[in-house]
Amino acid sequence: MAAQKILQEIKSLEAWVTIWKELEKKEKNLEEFIQLAKSENDESFYNDIDTELSSLLKSIEDAEFKSMLSGKDDGKNCLLTIHSGAGGTEAQDWAEMLMRMYLRWGEQNGYKMNIIDLLEGDGAGIKSATVEVEGEYAYGYLKAENGVHRLVRISPFDSNKRRHTSFASVFVIPEIDDTIEIEINPADLRIDTYRSGGKGGQNVNKVETAVRITHVPSGVVAACQSERSQLQNRTNAMKLLKAKLYQIEKEKHEAELNKVEEGKLKIEWGSQIRSYVFHPYNMVKDHRTEVETSDVQGVMDGDLNKFIKAYLLKFSQN
């Protein structure tokens, strides 16, 4: 497990080295074009210079964007869950539209999107869906989508063509590592030996073969007296201690997730993070960052990075 962590860290550092090498290469290409244009006094190089400059600026912007992802869980895969709000078919159709939007975003940005749970709606749309998102910094990016999303449109399900408002919630959590590493400092252990109180023969009862290990910082105790050998009892007691500490760490992780769960907003008016308006005008507006666009179709086809970037710029230090 320790080796796996080190390999992951090496991979992350190598990725940054690659990014900087690419930036350096583009900067040199740009410099060469500029020098060539000067020496030749040839304006025909201007288009090449403009292209190289745009490419360099875009790469710098992408690197700055990635540098904002420094949270504990940002580099992890994630689970994205969508729930329709009150409103029956309207809300369920909106939830399905959001699912399609995120699937498109994932495809465009190189993520593997796997629908692992889907509850279909009554007649149309979905009541809920959970999508597993696999790829670099999946949680770091998609955490920006946590919250309630509001849709305003002329309902395709209303024969009178009235305007409807629908809500759906999006909830993103990081993937929890199944292998929680338990490191035990020997200095934190108090090891006691004593005579076994059980049946088993002369040696078991008369020699201090039983072992009790106390993890002083946590107060967790593990004991074993089933074997004739003190060494074997000590080995088994240590296994038991690690298992107990492992369970405690798992419960801590679950408590953290429960804390996040409790912070979820009600799926209703006034709690939305973003509004998608299809009528009487076209606009998508993020209420946390004030970023907005009239390209509603582009957003529904997965163009979300402008909103994600603005969120990270505003809240990356929180």
Side-chain angles (χ1 to χ4, degrees):
M1 290 184 286
Q4 188 178 7
K5 280 189 174 182
I6 292 172
L7 288 173
Q8 289 175 346
E9 188 174 346
I10 290 172
K11 184 179 178 182
S12 177
L13 292 172
E14 286 177 341
W16 276 108
V17 170
T18 300
I19 288 171
W20 287 114
K21 284 183 176 178
E22 286 295 319
L23 288 174
E24 187 178 33
K25 181 180 177 181
K26 289 183 177 182
E27 187 272 334
K28 286 182 178 178
N29 288 342
L30 177 60
E31 188 177 355
E32 287 174 3
F33 274 119
I34 293 173
Q35 292 300 328
L36 198 57
K38 282 183 179 179
S39 62
E40 299 289 335
N41 196 24
D42 187 349
E43 293 184 2
S44 66
F45 286 105
Y46 287 3
N47 285 336
D48 293 321
I49 290 172
D50 187 59
T51 300
E52 288 295 324
L53 179 60
S54 296
S55 177
L56 176 61
L57 291 175
K58 176 67 167 58
S59 295
I60 291 173
E61 185 178 326
D62 290 343
E64 289 176 337
F65 193 11
K66 192 175 241 185
S67 71
M68 291 184 280
L69 301 173
S70 58
K72 181 179 69 172
D73 297 317
D74 283 352
K76 294 181 179 179
N77 298 333
C78 67
L79 295 172
L80 182 148
T81 301
I82 301 166
H83 291 284
S84 63
T89 302
E90 288 289 339
Q92 291 164 19
D93 187 52
W94 173 226
E96 185 173 37
M97 291 167 66
L98 284 175
M99 181 180 71
R100 175 186 176 276
M101 180 183 78
Y102 289 118
L103 293 176
R104 290 288 184 91
W105 175 86
E107 291 168 4
Q108 294 165 16
N109 289 275
Y111 289 95
K112 182 180 178 182
M113 312 292 283
N114 180 31
I115 300 172
I116 61 175
D117 186 42
L118 183 68
L119 181 60
E120 294 186 356
D122 301 321
I126 60 172
K127 292 181 179 179
S128 65
T130 298
V131 181
E132 182 183 40
V133 186
E134 296 183 25
E136 191 177 34
Y137 294 105
Y139 177 71
Y141 290 123
L142 285 175
K143 67 183 181 183
E145 298 302 296
N146 261 321
V148 177
H149 297 244
R150 177 175 72 113
L151 170 68
V152 180
R153 65 171 174 173
I154 297 295
S155 171
F157 306 101
D158 187 338
S159 58
N160 294 319
K161 302 299 179 184
R162 289 173 295 188
R163 188 171 66 186
H164 285 250
T165 299
S166 305
F167 297 92
S169 70
V170 175
F171 186 49
V172 183
I173 60 173
E175 178 186 68
I176 295 300
D177 191 354
D178 289 334
T179 57
I180 301 173
E181 187 173 353
I182 302 298
E183 294 182 1
I184 299 176
N185 184 346
D188 291 335
L189 301 179
R190 186 176 71 245
I191 302 175
D192 301 308
T193 59
Y194 57 98
R195 293 183 183 181
S196 171
K199 298 178 181 179
Q202 194 172 17
N203 187 61
V204 171
N205 293 312
K206 294 185 177 181
V207 182
E208 291 188 343
T209 55
V211 176
R212 181 189 300 110
I213 303 177
T214 303
H215 184 249
V216 177
S218 65
V220 174
V221 177
C224 182
Q225 59 176 326
S226 62
E227 303 294 332
R228 289 179 176 270
S229 162
Q230 185 185 105
L231 179 61
Q232 188 61 51
N233 280 331
R234 179 169 175 158
T235 300
N236 290 344
M238 184 60 74
K239 286 181 181 178
L240 179 57
L241 180 68
K242 285 184 176 181
K244 287 185 175 183
L245 292 175
Y246 174 86
Q247 183 61 33
I248 289 172
E249 287 301 310
K250 281 187 68 176
E251 289 171 358
K252 284 181 182 177
H253 278 288
E254 290 168 2
E256 286 180 10
L257 290 181
N258 289 337
K259 188 175 180 181
V260 174
E261 181 78 22
E262 289 169 3
K264 290 169 66 176
L265 296 171
K266 292 182 67 177
I267 313 174
E268 60 184 21
W269 185 276
S271 60
Q272 66 270 5
I273 63 163
R274 191 178 301 148
S275 292
Y276 305 70
V277 183
F278 293 7
H279 183 84
Y281 50 85
N282 290 330
M283 183 188 73
V284 179
K285 181 175 181 178
D286 194 291
H287 303 293
R288 302 162 300 177
T289 62
E290 301 300 319
V291 170
E292 61 182 66
T293 178
S294 59
D295 184 14
V296 172
Q297 191 56 53
V299 172
M300 299 312 300
D301 284 337
D303 184 12
L304 297 172
N305 286 342
K306 63 174 69 68
F307 299 110
I308 293 173
K309 181 178 179 181
Y311 174 88
L312 291 175
L313 283 169
K314 186 170 182 178
F315 298 104
S316 62
Q317 294 183 350
N318 292 347

